[in-house]
Amino acid sequence: MTRSLRNARYGAVLTFVLGGLMVGTMTVRIPALTDKLGLSESTVGAVLLVWGLGALVTMQSMRRIMARAGSRAVLRIGGPLTALGLVAVAFAPNLPLLMVAVALFGMAFGTVDVAMNAQGSTVEQAYGRPLMNGMHAGWCVGAISAGALGSVAIAVGLPFTANVALIGLVSLPVMVVIGRTYLPEPPAAETATAARRRMPPIVYLLGAIMFFAFMVEGTVADWNGLYMRNELGAPEALAALGYPVFELGMLIARLTGDRLRARFGVRGMLTVSGVATAGFFAVVLMAPAALVAVFAMFFVGLGVATISPLTLSLAGTATDSPGPAIAQAGAMGYAGLLLGPVVIGFISDATTLRTALGIGVVLGVLIAAASRLLPRREPSAITPAVTLADRETVEVAA
């Protein structure tokens, strides 16, 4: 195992950590942002929508960019720009400039989200064993850290601008430094051809599975607290525990997911994950008390956590270069993250919130069913060990 390869793994994991930290920090301090600019709830929804659409726009265009530039070049530019975008959000003095800042932050993050998964796939193949779940665990660590640091900032009276700007300014030089650790990908001439041709059908199937999983994640993030309070009568403090408990379940699953994949394979794990997601989401909806629902949320997190890392990892092996395939699957998945909460809102208006959240059970079943369409034998998920020396040679030359 070469030193540069180990550094590449640490750099990829740290990129996920910083991504979770920066996005989580903005999310955690939204109440303070509303106080700073006097925003209504509907305006906050519009701000978050602009951020999400900015990210989706760049994700949709990443196939060609990744093919020509590769994940290393994209991350070296997109990582620092994401940190600067967060600083711009922190200092935005009014709503129009805030909208511009969150759009730029979202667009920069969209490039990082695709590129860090492509880089993770490149490192994983170079290592010769599954690593993607562990990298996504880094995202959970970053998001949980954002919540903890945000709570400390609130406790000591640190305003929105200072808290968010500090995270952005600390992340900026770290993003620049870890840019030196990233591994190169295949030459641009090869990947450009891959970007122009239609992706293999398995990429679109994986994108659909990821779409379902991200709809579940978005639904839990945006509607869980309201469901706990309004439908189960939970006090505000208990209702707020649902999402952190869900994230804790995701973190534990991702820390163990790579070892489970090596034993059971992607197809088996995705099937079980879909069944578990559907089953435990049903427990949440049928829970007689809020405390039972919070406990069940931990297992929903366990169930859904490994789906996106597994689908992205498998997509990265579907073509000669991981970047374009991951960009395609990732864009499909991220659309689910944006669409899920909106669909829940419309169904809730027409029926009840409990009925609307039943879509989480349906999504779990769809994940399990779609996973059975995957081949029993995975495409080569890892590069043979003999290739490590070749990759190291490319790294040194670059």
Side-chain angles (χ1 to χ4, degrees):
M1 190 65 60
T2 63
R3 180 179 178 182
S4 61
L5 190 53
R6 284 195 299 270
N7 288 342
R9 181 184 180 184
Y10 299 148
V13 171
L14 187 53
T15 303
F16 276 87
V17 172
L18 289 174
L21 177 64
M22 287 189 284
V23 174
T25 296
M26 187 187 78
T27 303
V28 166
R29 295 308 308 267
I30 282 176
L33 176 62
T34 62
D35 293 341
K36 174 186 173 182
L37 298 181
L39 306 178
S40 66
E41 290 184 1
S42 60
T43 304
V44 171
V47 169
L48 294 176
L49 180 62
V50 168
W51 181 88
L53 290 176
L56 189 59
V57 164
T58 51
M59 285 179 174
Q60 292 286 1
S61 64
M62 285 298 287
R63 267 183 65 174
R64 292 186 179 275
I65 295 173
M66 289 294 297
R68 293 177 180 177
S71 62
R72 181 168 69 171
V74 171
L75 284 172
R76 285 177 171 178
I77 297 172
L81 284 179
T82 301
L84 289 173
L86 185 62
V87 174
V89 170
F91 286 103
N94 52 50
L95 181 59
L97 289 178
L98 176 65
M99 288 294 195
V100 173
V102 295
L104 293 175
F105 178 47
M107 292 175 70
F109 172 72
T111 67
V112 170
D113 190 87
V114 172
M116 71 183 180
N117 280 290
Q119 178 64 200
S121 179
T122 299
V123 172
E124 182 178 62
Q125 293 179 49
Y127 254 78
R129 59 186 174 89
L131 296 173
M132 190 68 85
N133 273 292
M135 293 180 186
H136 278 251
W139 176 276
C140 294
V141 170
I144 292 171
S145 298
L149 292 172
S151 297
V152 171
I154 294 169
V156 300
L158 198 64
F160 171 86
T161 299
N163 182 188
V164 176
L166 183 61
I167 296 297
L169 291 172
V170 169
S171 299
L172 176 60
V174 179
M175 278 291 193
V176 172
V177 170
I178 62 177
R180 299 170 58 88
T181 69
Y182 300 135
L183 290 181
E185 289 167 313
E190 297 176 17
T191 55
T193 302
R196 285 193 296 269
R197 65 173 181 256
R198 187 175 178 81
M199 290 285 129
I202 190 175
V203 173
Y204 299 100
L205 175 59
L206 292 167
I209 294 172
M210 192 173 167
F211 176 88
F212 301 145
F214 271 10
M215 278 193 77
V216 173
E217 292 187 31
T219 295
V220 172
D222 288 2
W223 290 101
N224 170 73
L226 198 61
Y227 167 74
M228 297 280 186
R229 188 187 70 182
N230 293 359
E231 299 289 332
L232 298 182
E236 199 75 34
L238 180 59
L241 282 179
Y243 186 62
V245 168
F246 172 79
E247 280 285 344
L248 179 61
M250 291 186 71
L251 174 59
I252 292 173
R254 287 175 174 176
L255 288 173
T256 59
D258 291 323
R259 290 191 293 275
L260 292 174
R261 176 186 175 180
R263 182 172 180 180
F264 299 108
V266 171
R267 186 173 185 260
M269 281 191 66
L270 288 177
T271 303
V272 172
S273 293
V275 172
T277 298
F280 285 110
F281 216 109
V283 173
V284 171
L285 298 180
M286 295 185 295
L291 194 59
V292 175
V294 169
F295 184 69
M297 268 299 168
F298 173 81
F299 292 97
V300 175
L302 281 178
V304 79
T306 59
I307 296 173
S308 57
L310 289 173
T311 51
L312 288 168
S313 177
L314 198 55
T317 67
T319 60
D320 293 337
S321 175
I326 285 177
Q328 179 65 52
M332 292 176 66
Y334 198 80
L337 193 65
L338 292 178
L339 184 61
V342 177
V343 171
I344 295 297
F346 280 117
I347 298 177
S348 177
D349 285 341
T351 57
T352 65
L353 181 55
R354 187 190 297 268
T355 301
L357 288 176
I359 196 173
V361 179
V362 176
L363 291 168
V365 172
L366 289 174
I367 290 166
S371 298
R372 305 311 295 171
L373 301 177
L374 293 171
R376 289 183 179 275
R377 189 178 183 86
E378 296 178 31
S380 179
I382 52 177
T383 302
V386 69
T387 310
L388 294 180
D390 298 334
R391 187 175 295 280
E392 173 64 11
T393 300
V394 175
E395 167 70 18
V396 172

